[in-house]
Amino acid sequence: MKGTVEMMVLGVLADADRHGLEIFDEISRRSDGILNVAEGSLYPALKRMESQGLISSEWRASRNNRRARYYRLSEAGRRQFLNKERVWTEFAAAVGKVVGGGASNPSAPGGPFEGVLPCAS
Amino acid sequence: MRLLNWLGLANRDLQNEVDEEFAFHLSERAKQLRAGGMDSISADRAAREAFGDLARYRAEALLALSAAHLRRRAWTLGALSSAAACILGLVAGAAALSHRDGLVVNGLREDVARLQGELAPFRGQGAVPLAQQVRFVTVRGAVCNPRVWTVPSDVDLTLRAMITKSGGLTPTARGEVTLTSNGRATPSSKVLTMSQWLDPDRAEIPVPGFVTIDVR
């Protein structure tokens, strides 16, 4: 889903700076391994987010003293994360209701989430 | 190739950074797998398989980096283009004005007379204080972009200049003047070429408060 990777990266960088492998492992850990994607696919997303100013990066020594590129959430990224986190939570709950056979589609016209686009970049 | 590199489209530094980042990822993943009991060859292979299509992700990462790099370069290109346009505009304006009657150096004698007349009330004082708003423009035909012209108190210079107290570029007060600083008139031997002193960059000299002029 468009914007999903960006949302997850923002989430795992919200509490700590991490290099690419750590970002991937943290996403995998938090999702209980459900999100099974190629590890390398993370990097184009990281570079796009960096070019958009959502994150920044720099070379630093890793925990085992190797040179690694660490990513950090920028202020713009933090704002975007906080904003999208709320929208995402509401959207996920709404989708859950729909898929679970609930009442009307909340994203439909007239519904409480009409026009909500949770992952638009 | 150098241009492509500058634009970030074939930037070796960007390529090296991505390669180093990918190599770090692969080797650290393989190390984790070895620590879990896998043999070295299997760990390397498993790390590569988990990473996926390295060439594709490398190309996509470089494309994203190049786009950002190119945007930054676009700012530089835009600024350079604007500066070049300004310079061309000034040169074109100067060339046009230099062919207009009354603005060429040949008319200096009359202009000096007029300036002397305008400044006659101050003649007895020997020197006329000028406010910072007074602007100096060359009368050699080329026209300097009118800017606030200030002179450090320790600088002696003689200028052939057009002076306008209104801030506009008017030919009504032109003449050869001698600038003095701290009451000291400058010797004519220290005449500087206009091109040196009308450089917009160099014209922005720290403000001394005021300067004085004396009509010659």
Side-chain angles (χ1 to χ4, degrees):
Chain A
M1 187 180 296
K2 180 175 166 53
T4 305
V5 173
E6 282 79 1
M7 185 64 193
M8 290 190 295
V9 169
L10 292 175
V12 300
L13 288 179
D15 56 356
D17 300 352
R18 303 177 200 272
H19 57 65
L21 182 59
E22 288 176 338
I23 292 171
F24 185 89
D25 285 345
E26 184 64 13
I27 289 173
S28 182
R29 187 187 67 78
R30 292 188 189 184
S31 69
D32 295 326
I34 292 173
L35 299 171
N36 186 22
V37 296
E39 296 178 9
S41 66
L42 178 67
Y43 289 95
L46 287 172
K47 303 307 177 189
R48 277 195 301 274
M49 293 173 69
E50 189 171 10
S51 73
Q52 292 164 358
L54 299 175
I55 58 176
S56 60
S57 69
E58 63 178 356
W59 290 104
R60 283 192 224 158
S62 67
R63 269 178 288 190
N64 52 11
N65 211 28
R66 285 194 61 191
R67 211 168 93 98
R69 192 151 197 94
Y70 276 79
Y71 294 87
R72 162 181 289 184
L73 206 59
S74 69
E75 271 310 305
R78 194 170 298 280
R79 282 195 301 273
Q80 175 146 327
F81 172 66
L82 292 174
N83 181 44
K84 286 197 170 183
E85 182 187 32
R86 179 183 56 79
V87 176
W88 177 267
T89 303
E90 292 171 350
F91 178 80
V95 171
K97 287 179 183 174
V98 173
V99 173
S104 61
N105 182 350
S107 295
F113 299 102
E114 177 186 1
V116 172
L117 300 172
C119 297
S121 58
Chain B
M1 181 56 81
R2 186 175 291 179
L3 177 62
L4 289 176
N5 186 57
W6 187 77
L7 291 171
L9 300 179
N11 194 312
R12 183 65 65 183
D13 291 339
L14 296 182
Q15 293 172 6
N16 289 340
E17 290 214 352
V18 170
D19 290 343
E20 185 176 352
E21 194 170 11
F22 283 13
F24 172 84
H25 183 116
L26 289 168
S27 67
E28 287 297 302
R29 176 64 79 211
K31 187 188 294 182
Q32 288 176 356
L33 294 171
R34 284 196 300 274
M38 197 176 281
D39 67 83
S40 182
I41 294 175
S42 299
D44 289 345
R45 186 188 307 126
R48 283 197 301 274
E49 287 175 357
F51 194 88
D53 190 342
L54 190 145
R56 173 190 161 193
Y57 299 136
R58 180 180 187 272
E60 290 180 1
L62 282 172
L63 190 63
L65 285 173
S66 297
H69 192 76
L70 194 56
R71 272 197 294 276
R72 286 194 294 273
R73 291 307 192 197
W75 279 99
T76 305
L77 284 172
L80 286 174
S81 301
S82 299
C86 288
I87 291 170
L88 285 173
L90 281 175
V91 170
L97 285 170
S98 68
H99 289 88
R100 284 174 52 188
D101 292 340
L103 280 176
V104 296
V105 70
N106 294 339
L108 183 61
R109 187 184 302 276
E110 294 77 12
D111 294 325
V112 168
R114 184 157 46 189
L115 178 62
Q116 285 175 327
E118 290 182 4
L119 297 179
F122 303 102
R123 190 172 299 280
Q125 300 175 17
V128 182
L130 297 179
Q132 289 178 15
Q133 287 77 14
V134 172
R135 301 177 182 210
F136 293 82
V137 186
T138 177
V139 292
R140 294 199 313 167
V143 176
C144 168
N145 185 21
R147 315 170 66 93
V148 176
W149 181 280
T150 56
V151 183
S153 60
D154 59 344
V155 170
D156 293 341
L157 73 161
T158 299
L159 293 174
R160 287 175 177 169
M162 179 169 72
I163 307 167
T164 166
K165 291 182 180 179
S166 65
L169 186 63
T170 71
T172 58
R174 288 176 295 159
E176 185 175 15
V177 298
T178 300
L179 288 185
T180 64
S181 181
N182 296 331
R184 187 158 52 100
T186 60
S188 59
S189 61
K190 289 199 174 180
V191 171
L192 299 167
T193 63
M194 287 300 170
S195 60
Q196 285 178 275
W197 286 96
L198 296 174
D199 180 333
D201 291 331
R202 297 184 58 178
E204 291 179 322
I205 302 169
V207 177
F210 68 89
V211 295
T212 62
I213 65 165
D214 191 9
V215 180
R216 298 177 67 197

